[in-house]
Amino acid sequence: MTTSTTAPEAELDLVVARRTDEADGVVSLDLRRADHAPLPAWTPGAHIDLVLAPDLVRQYSLCSSPDDTHVWRVAVLREDDGRGGSLQVHDKLAEGDPVRVRGPRNHFALEHAERYLFIAGGIGITPIIPMLEQAERQGSPWELVYGGRTLSSMAFRDALVTRYGERVRVRPEDAYGLLDLGELLGTPRPGTLVYCCGPEPLLRAVEERCADWPPGTLHVERFAPKELQPPVRDGAFEVALAQTGITVTVPPDKSVLQAVEEAGVQVLFSCQEGTCGTCETAVLEGTVDHRDSLLTPAEQEAHDTMMICVSRAACPTLVLDL
């Protein structure tokens, strides 16, 4: 597939150079080119798609160093009740196996700040790891609070403590209880940006605690979509495709993505849940009913981009750059 929404992404055939058990139920994969050529550059917070089968594509955060141009590392939590991606990684992918990869793309970029508070829950530590390296390089003070079910389930914990010392607080739930968000976030701290990644209950609790902080303070990344609310418009709406010159009708029971594809316009997509950003499309005219789990409130209010797999129109007609 091709897309006209952004510059083409890399699509690479890589090899699993190393596979490591990082914690209970967590395995990491080091991915390289077979010829050891450099990989595309990326920034902290980026993720890639693993194309595990034609109909099985999953997104995983890069947790290696952006300075290492020859290795992309991801870590995958085994989810027996998931949708099958993690089981494929844990049970099928071995060292030496080929795997197709798309990306990288970044909707969780680290903005420059006076200081940072990082909050990670479980496998949510993965996008945070390269952020710590960047914060160090910037000379910005930071602290990390890392929660998990048990100490043995928390990947990379020892390496982080060894490298960064007391700035990393490891807080397994069976020893400390839930993270004390009141202590962490009870008093707004001007100049501090908060980055959080983890399970949905943690993200919701952090969002509630940061409601009184300055706008733009909190940045979160979700591995699962937020619960969808009823759409702004109950009926059908039209989408005009500026590049192809056609207009499609989107009925209530179909997504913009489905309607566009049925009209013969191919768009790159992956999760179809509004979490990966693959189908992000520029909006030229109209207002959007944003239903994704990626864009910040400020980005949504601009109405200049949308995830067409889940977001809809808040007006009779949208004009998209397709």
Side-chain angles (χ1 to χ4, degrees):
M1 289 185 180
T2 58
T3 176
S4 57
T5 60
T6 60
E9 296 179 346
E11 184 155 348
L12 307 171
D13 289 313
L14 303 183
V15 174
V16 180
R18 187 176 70 167
R19 174 186 166 112
T20 306
D21 291 326
E22 301 289 355
D24 291 347
V26 179
V27 65
S28 69
L29 305 176
D30 282 8
L31 307 174
R32 293 180 179 269
R33 292 184 191 263
D35 60 1
H36 298 281
L39 294 165
W42 58 281
T43 55
H47 67 267
I48 56 175
D49 295 345
L50 296 190
V51 184
L52 302 168
D55 59 348
L56 188 62
V57 181
R58 295 293 181 265
Q59 293 74 42
Y60 299 106
S61 296
L62 290 168
C63 58
S64 45
S65 170
D67 291 339
D68 188 342
T69 60
H70 290 82
V71 172
W72 282 349
R73 177 177 298 149
V74 297
V76 181
L77 171 67
R78 183 184 184 95
E79 297 182 271
D80 291 319
D81 298 326
R83 297 179 297 154
S86 69
L87 298 184
Q88 182 81 1
V89 170
H90 277 255
D91 297 340
K92 303 294 184 181
L93 272 185
E95 290 186 6
D97 284 350
V99 59
R100 176 154 290 191
V101 176
R102 288 202 300 251
R105 70 184 70 90
N106 196 342
H107 290 274
F108 192 44
L110 187 68
E111 299 179 3
H112 194 276
E114 294 178 20
R115 64 187 68 85
Y116 300 97
L117 170 60
F118 298 104
I119 303 173
I123 199 63
I125 191 62
T126 52
I128 301 298
I129 292 172
M131 291 184 176
L132 305 181
E133 185 177 322
Q134 180 170 324
E136 283 283 277
R137 185 181 296 112
Q138 293 174 184
S140 303
W142 60 267
E143 60 179 311
L144 164 65
V145 181
Y146 179 14
R149 298 186 312 278
T150 64
L151 195 64
S152 63
S153 72
M154 300 172 69
F156 308 110
R157 64 189 185 280
D158 292 339
L160 289 169
V161 172
T162 298
R163 183 172 183 179
Y164 297 118
E166 294 182 354
R167 284 180 292 174
V168 176
R169 285 186 275 169
V170 177
R171 296 292 185 265
E173 186 178 343
D174 62 346
Y176 291 88
L178 297 176
L179 295 181
D180 188 350
L181 298 181
E183 183 266 331
L184 289 172
L185 302 169
T187 302
R189 288 179 257 171
T192 298
L193 291 184
V194 180
Y195 279 79
C196 182
C197 185
E200 186 62 24
L202 173 64
L203 299 183
R204 287 200 304 267
V206 169
E207 287 174 333
E208 291 173 3
R209 288 287 183 174
C210 285
D212 295 330
W213 286 55
T217 291
L218 177 61
H219 300 258
V220 302
E221 182 166 65
R222 286 178 157 84
F223 294 141
K226 294 186 291 188
E227 182 178 352
L228 289 179
Q229 301 301 313
V232 171
R233 293 176 59 88
D234 294 330
F237 56 91
E238 291 191 333
V239 174
L241 310 182
Q243 292 189 32
T244 53
I246 65 174
T247 297
V248 299
T249 299
V250 183
D253 60 342
K254 290 185 179 179
S255 67
V256 175
L257 173 63
Q258 290 171 319
V260 166
E261 288 240 306
E262 288 178 3
V265 179
Q266 291 189 322
V267 181
L268 192 66
F269 65 90
S270 180
C271 73
Q272 300 187 67
E273 295 180 328
T275 59
C276 75
T278 308
C279 69
E280 184 172 5
T281 301
V283 179
L284 304 180
E285 294 180 29
T287 55
V288 181
D289 175 12
H290 290 287
R291 298 159 64 78
D292 65 274
S293 302
L294 276 172
L295 298 176
T296 67
E299 289 170 335
Q300 292 183 345
E301 289 171 7
H303 296 287
D304 58 7
T305 189
M306 68 183 292
M307 309 303 163
I308 62 173
C309 65
V310 292
S311 294
R312 304 184 68 79
C315 62
T317 303
L318 288 175
V319 181
L320 303 184
D321 189 18
L322 288 174

